[in-house]
Amino acid sequence: MKRRALVITAVIIVILAAVFLVLRSGKEEEHSVRTSGIIDGTEVTISSKVPARVSEICCNEGSPVGKGQIVVRLEAQDLQASVMQARAAVQRAAADIATAEAGRRNAQAVVRNAEAEVKTAEANQEKTRFQLEQAERDLKRVEPLHREKLVSDSQYDRTATQFRTARATNDSEKSRVSSALSGWESAQAGLISAKSQVESARARQKEAEAALALAQSYLDDTAITSPVSGTVIFRGMEPGEFVSPGAAIMTIVDLESLFARVDLEETKIGHVRLEGEALIRVEGLPGRVFRGKITEIGRYGEFATQRDVVRGRQDIRTFRVKIGFHDPEGMLKPGMTVDVEIPY
C-alpha cells in the first residue's frame, strides 16, 4: 500500500513539474521574441579611379586590414610619364609668364617715353605758337608803315620772312605733336597687348597646374588604401588583371560598425522598439551572452520570407532589425549566425 502511494505521489510530482515547465516556457515565450540572425557590418567596396593593370593585392578573403593600409597597387609607369609631362608644361607656362611680364614692362616703358615725347612736342608747339603770334603782330605793325614809305623794303622783307619762318616752324611742331600722339596711342595698344599676353600666359599656367594636379591624383590613386579597419569578404581581382574605373576589386566589412541583423515577421515586430535590449548568443560560444540594443527598425516590410498556406492568409512579410552590441574582445565576426532574444 505504501509503495502504491509513493508511485502516485511521484507521478503527481512529475506531472506538476512538467506543467510548471510548460507554463514557464510559455511565459518566457510570451515575454520575448526569439529568432536567428547574422553578424553584418558596413561594407566598403574598393575600386580604382583609373584604368590600369593590377600589380599587387595585399590580402585574401577573410584577411584583416587596417585603416589607411595599402591594399591594392596598380601599374603606374604611364601615369608617372603623364605627371612628368604635366610638370614640364607647368615649367613652360612659368617661363612664358616671365617672358610676357618682360614684354609688359617694356611696353610700359615705351608708353612712358611716348608720353614724354607728347609733352615735349606740345611744349615746343606752344613756344612756336607764341613766336608766330609775335611775328604776326610785328608784320601787321610794319605793313602800314611800309605802305607809307616809313619803313624800308629790306626791313619789311625781313619782318615778313620772320613771320613765314615762325608759321612754318609752328606747323612743323603741330605735325610733331600729332606724330607723338600717334606714337603714344600705338604704345598704349602695345601695352594692352602685352597685358593680354601676360593674362593668357597665367591662364595657361593655371591650366597646366590643373593638369598636373589631375595627373598626380591619378598617380596617387594607383596606391589604393582601405578607408576602414575590417575584414576582406570578397576579392574579385588578381595581379595582372586589367581593372576599369569603378569595378570592384575587393569588399571590406568595417569592424567598427558590426551589428546583428535579423528579419522579424510582421506578427512580432510590434513587440520591438528602438533602444530596446537584445541578447545575442552564438552556438560556438556556449554560455556567452552579448548584450545589445536595437538601433534600427525597417520602416517598410520586405518580401515574404515564407508563405502561410495553412489558413489562406497572405504571405508573411518581414521587417529588418539591426542590433548594435558591445564586443570589446572582437569575438563576433562578420557572417556568423547568431541567436537573438529580444525581451519585451
Side-chain angles (χ1 to χ4, degrees):
M1 189 70 180
K2 291 183 179 179
R3 174 180 287 183
R4 183 177 181 183
L6 290 174
V7 171
I8 294 173
T9 301
V11 170
I12 293 173
I13 292 174
V14 170
I15 293 173
L16 290 175
V19 170
F20 174 77
L21 291 175
V22 169
L23 291 175
R24 183 181 178 184
S25 175
K27 186 175 181 180
E28 287 182 352
E29 291 180 359
E30 184 180 356
H31 291 282
S32 65
V33 175
R34 296 176 181 272
T35 185
S36 61
I38 189 171
I39 300 299
D40 206 344
T42 301
E43 295 183 1
V44 178
T45 299
I46 302 298
S47 60
S48 172
K49 295 181 181 179
V50 296
R53 196 174 301 279
V54 177
S55 63
E56 179 183 343
I57 296 181
C58 75
C59 315
N60 295 316
E61 294 182 3
S63 300
V65 296
K67 183 177 181 179
Q69 176 183 343
I70 296 177
V71 293
V72 179
R73 289 186 183 275
L74 306 177
E75 293 182 358
Q77 292 85 346
D78 293 343
L79 294 175
Q80 288 173 344
S82 297
V83 168
M84 295 176 62
Q85 185 178 8
R87 188 174 289 117
V90 170
Q91 294 173 350
R92 285 196 303 271
D96 291 342
I97 289 178
T99 301
E101 286 285 1
R104 181 183 60 82
R105 290 191 295 269
N106 182 65
Q108 288 176 333
V110 172
V111 168
R112 289 193 295 269
N113 291 335
E115 289 175 347
E117 290 180 3
V118 169
K119 291 180 180 179
T120 300
E122 288 177 342
N124 291 335
Q125 196 270 329
E126 182 66 18
K127 180 180 178 181
T128 58
R129 185 184 63 80
F130 176 77
Q131 292 173 347
L132 175 60
E133 292 175 353
Q134 183 62 42
E136 186 177 10
R137 287 194 296 269
D138 291 344
L139 182 59
K140 289 180 179 180
R141 188 176 62 253
V142 169
E143 282 180 341
L145 296 176
H146 179 260
R147 284 194 297 269
E148 295 177 5
K149 306 299 183 180
L150 297 177
V151 173
S152 63
D153 291 340
S154 60
Q155 185 177 357
Y156 173 76
D157 292 339
R158 188 167 53 254
T159 302
T161 300
Q162 290 175 349
F163 170 73
R164 288 192 295 270
T165 301
R167 184 170 59 188
T169 302
N170 185 63
D171 290 343
S172 176
E173 291 301 327
K174 284 183 179 180
S175 299
R176 186 172 297 175
V177 169
S178 297
S179 177
L181 287 172
S182 297
W184 176 80
E185 292 175 353
S186 177
Q188 286 286 357
L191 178 58
I192 292 174
S193 177
K195 289 181 178 179
S196 177
Q197 290 177 2
V198 171
E199 294 301 322
S200 178
R202 287 176 177 171
R204 289 195 299 273
Q205 184 186 42
K206 290 182 179 180
E207 183 179 356
E209 288 175 346
L212 173 59
L214 181 62
Q216 186 64 54
S217 174
Y218 285 156
L219 179 59
D220 294 341
D221 288 337
T222 59
I224 305 175
T225 59
S226 172
V228 296
S229 296
T231 300
V232 177
I233 62 171
F234 170 75
R235 171 171 166 168
M237 292 283 177
E238 297 295 334
E241 291 189 78
F242 189 86
V243 59
S244 300
I249 301 176
M250 66 171 57
T251 301
I252 300 172
V253 173
D254 185 1
L255 293 180
E256 296 180 0
S257 64
L258 293 182
F259 56 87
R261 174 174 59 81
V262 299
D263 294 317
L264 289 183
E265 299 174 8
E266 55 187 337
T267 57
K268 299 179 180 179
I269 196 65
H271 299 301
V272 177
R273 58 183 176 83
L274 284 175
E275 300 298 322
E277 183 184 9
L279 305 176
I280 301 172
R281 297 179 176 87
V282 184
E283 183 177 354
L285 300 172
R288 190 68 185 268
V289 178
F290 299 88
R291 295 188 175 275
K293 287 186 177 181
I294 297 173
T295 60
E296 184 178 328
I297 301 175
R299 186 174 179 181
Y300 300 103
E302 302 291 340
F303 291 109
T305 56
Q306 57 179 307
R307 298 180 62 85
D308 188 343
V309 295
V310 177
R311 299 177 183 174
R313 295 184 301 182
Q314 294 181 347
D315 295 349
I316 298 175
R317 301 182 68 83
T318 60
F319 290 80
R320 180 159 297 183
V321 177
K322 291 184 179 180
I323 302 170
F325 53 82
H326 184 62
D327 180 24
E329 299 176 9
M331 302 184 71
L332 298 181
K333 307 296 183 182
M336 279 186 172
T337 300
V338 294
D339 295 321
V340 178
E341 179 183 354
I342 303 174
Y344 62 87

